[in-house]
């Protein structure tokens, strides 16, 4: 079994999609190992997205990710990272496949409803950023 990390982003939480997104995650065969509703601080968001700090959208991304609560989760499944990226769809919802979480719930390339780790290595880093061992079951 492998793990990945996700956040339901502030847009989707604000729009009331938390329950529907968790249901899609369950139905796709992921086990929820850790789950919390929280709000990122400016420094949390800057650190989490540090890889994007030179990109033109960085300031907007940090402002968006800190404007309201998120739901963070650790998910377990065979091939978790890639299967979850398939379930969420492309970064830009206009390019996201039919039935994917972003196609259903994202509003724009920035406000795109969910995060999903892009590699096993980054999943481990992102899980450690948000959860302690005692919060994972
Ligand atoms: N993003 C943005 N504008 C862009 C590309 C990305 O605002 O042109 C935001 C968006 O919220 C995205 C996040 O930055 O999810 C991280 O970008 P990445 O390329 O890693 O996309 P992801 O891995 O989330 O699909
Ligand atoms: Mg990414």
């Amino acid at each position: 079994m492998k793990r990945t990390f996700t956040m339901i982003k502030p847009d989707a939480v604000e729009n009331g999609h938390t329950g529907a997104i968790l249901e899609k995650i369950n139905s796709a065969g992921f086990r929820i190992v850790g789950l919390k509703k929280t709000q990122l601080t400016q420094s949390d968001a800057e650190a989490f997205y540090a890889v994007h700090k030179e990109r033109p959208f960085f300031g907007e991304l940090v402002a968006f990710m800190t404007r309201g609560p998120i739901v963070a989760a650790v998910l377990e499944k065979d091939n978790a990272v890639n299967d979850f990226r398939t379930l969420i769809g492309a970064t830009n919802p206009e390019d996201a496949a039919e039935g994917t979480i972003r196609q259903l719930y994202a509003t724009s390339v920035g406000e795109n409803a969910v995060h999903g780790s892009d590699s096993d290595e980054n999943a481990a880093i992102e899980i450690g950023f948000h959860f302690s061992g005692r919060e994972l079951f």
Side-chain angles (χ1 to χ4, degrees):
M1 281 295 177
K2 296 284 188 118
R3 289 180 174 182
T4 192
F5 173 75
T6 186
M7 292 182 284
I8 303 175
K9 295 184 178 184
D11 59 325
V13 174
E14 283 160 13
N15 291 330
H17 298 314
T18 299
I21 291 171
L22 290 174
E23 171 54 27
K24 278 198 76 75
I25 289 170
N26 268 324
S27 296
F30 292 87
R31 193 174 75 79
I32 297 173
V33 172
L35 184 67
K36 70 168 91 167
K37 190 170 190 176
T38 186
Q39 187 160 358
L40 299 181
T41 65
Q42 174 97 6
S43 64
D44 289 337
E46 286 173 356
F48 187 86
Y49 284 113
V51 64
H52 295 304
K53 67 174 180 294
E54 307 303 337
R55 307 281 289 277
F57 58 81
F58 184 69
E60 213 179 314
L61 175 61
V62 169
F64 162 55
M65 288 301 298
T66 57
R67 80 168 184 225
I70 60 148
V71 174
V74 177
L75 307 176
E76 196 169 74
K77 186 183 182 298
D78 287 336
N79 202 31
V81 164
N82 288 329
D83 284 3
F84 192 69
R85 294 289 305 200
T86 301
L87 181 67
I88 70 179
T91 306
N92 186 341
E94 288 179 18
D95 303 327
E98 198 65 30
T100 59
I101 292 173
R102 282 169 166 167
Q103 186 264 325
L104 290 168
Y105 301 116
T107 46
S108 69
V109 65
E111 302 202 5
N112 60 4
V114 281
H115 169 81
S117 305
D118 64 7
S119 66
D120 287 351
E121 186 190 3
N122 284 334
I125 293 168
E126 292 172 1
I127 290 166
F129 187 92
H130 289 271
F131 289 91
S132 72
R134 287 179 304 156
E135 296 173 307
L136 301 175
F137 301 91

